């Protein structure tokens, strides 16, 4: 997945799902992989499976629900007026939550020039947010967002190909969009790690001229 080899990633995650049919992780990863190659029906099927089997407070459930809503495949949950004490989808109080938005930036890297993907996690960093953990796929050089985040302190951790590219702290404010740009300047990883591959060198002695007969 981190290498953007989504076809092979799908094959591996399908194998994992066959080995552990009740596991949430492979199903969520399948939905993410399908979404990257625009296989919308397949992504919808996997994310709906996650909603039917994962706990509603889990990161996988919340991210799958958000994707389905954005894709128009799931209605926005509404409160039940005549049964407020029943187990219904929790509504987010805008007065106590905000959004974390931003971009990932790397010299010479954008999804159009070179597609590099990884996983971005938002994790609570104090007692009042310690139960909050959300994870989503991201593309290096692209924007990202976490919606409906309870106000408080967090760590933002980005991993690409098993390497931690960012591990930064941020405070999300209620009722606001908190902006956090993740750039190479704030990364412990050198810029050259994701520099464009060198052009194939011309073979020694080759010429653009047509060969002589």
């Amino acid at each position: 997945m981190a290498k953007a080899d989504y076809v092979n990633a799908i094959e591996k995650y399908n194998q994992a799902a066959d080995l552990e049919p009740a596991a949430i992780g492979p199903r969520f990863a399948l939905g993410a992989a399908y979404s990257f190659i625009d296989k919308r029906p397949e992504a919808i099927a996997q994310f709906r499976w996650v909603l039917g089997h994962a706990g509603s407070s889990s990161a996988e459930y919340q991210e799958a629900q958000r994707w389905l809503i954005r894709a128009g495949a799931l209605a926005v949950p509404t409160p039940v007026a005549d049964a407020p004490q029943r187990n219904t989808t929790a509504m987010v109080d805008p007065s106590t939550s905000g959004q974390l938005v931003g971009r990932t930036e790397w010299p010479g890297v954008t999804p159009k020039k070179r597609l590099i993907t990884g996983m971005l996690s938002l994790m609570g960093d104090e007692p009042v947010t310690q139960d909050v953990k959300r994870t989503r796929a991201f593309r290096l050089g692209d924007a990202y967002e976490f919606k409906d985040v309870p106000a408080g302190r967090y760590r933002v951790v980005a991993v690409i190909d098993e390497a931690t590219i960012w591990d930064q702290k941020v405070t999300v404010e209620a009722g606001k969009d908190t902006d956090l740009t993740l750039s190479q300047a704030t990364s412990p990883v050198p810029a050259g790690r994701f520099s464009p591959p060198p052009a194939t060198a011309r073979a020694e002695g080759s010429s653009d001229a047509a060969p002589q007969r």
Side-chain angles (χ1 to χ4, degrees):
M1 178 78 86
K3 296 177 181 177
D5 187 358
Y6 301 120
V7 173
N8 280 322
I10 288 169
E11 180 182 351
K12 296 297 184 182
Y13 285 131
N14 270 316
Q15 292 173 4
D18 289 341
L19 289 172
E20 296 186 66
I24 304 298
R27 296 283 192 164
F28 178 81
L30 270 172
Y34 280 129
S35 71
F36 274 126
I37 59 174
D38 295 326
K39 287 189 174 290
R40 187 173 182 274
E42 291 86 348
I44 289 174
Q46 296 302 325
F47 285 137
R48 282 181 173 167
W49 187 96
V50 171
L51 292 192
H53 295 80
S56 60
S57 62
S58 69
E60 292 86 355
Y61 182 101
Q62 294 173 8
E63 291 302 323
Q65 183 184 59
R66 288 187 181 86
W67 188 93
L68 288 168
I69 291 174
R70 288 196 301 268
L74 185 68
V76 178
T78 56
V80 180
D82 60 349
Q85 300 304 317
R86 294 181 183 176
N87 291 328
T88 59
T89 302
M91 299 300 293
V92 176
D93 184 352
S95 67
T96 60
S97 63
Q99 296 188 85
L100 177 62
V101 298
R103 295 190 62 83
T104 60
E105 298 178 349
W106 205 269
V109 177
T110 67
K112 290 185 178 180
K113 292 181 179 179
R114 186 182 180 194
L115 183 59
I116 299 174
T117 63
M119 301 304 291
L120 188 65
S121 298
L122 178 70
M123 299 179 288
D125 196 39
E126 61 179 333
V128 296
T129 62
Q130 63 182 358
D131 293 331
V132 179
K133 183 176 181 180
R134 299 180 185 174
T135 301
R136 58 168 300 163
F138 78 98
R139 300 183 300 184
L140 192 61
D142 209 351
Y144 71 90
E145 67 176 0
F146 289 98
K147 294 183 177 180
D148 304 327
V149 179
R153 296 198 301 270
Y154 294 88
R155 288 172 55 212
V156 178
V157 179
V159 176
I160 298 177
D161 199 17
E162 300 183 357
T164 299
I165 309 304
W166 287 287
D167 187 345
Q168 293 187 225
K169 294 187 177 183
V170 64
T171 299
V172 175
E173 298 185 45
K176 297 182 179 180
D177 287 355
T178 300
D179 191 290
L180 177 65
T181 298
L182 301 172
S183 68
Q184 192 278 324
T186 60
S187 172
V189 175
R193 182 181 182 92
F194 301 117
S195 59
T200 303
R202 190 184 301 274
E204 184 177 355
S206 65
S207 172
D208 290 335
Q212 298 297 319
R213 294 183 180 274

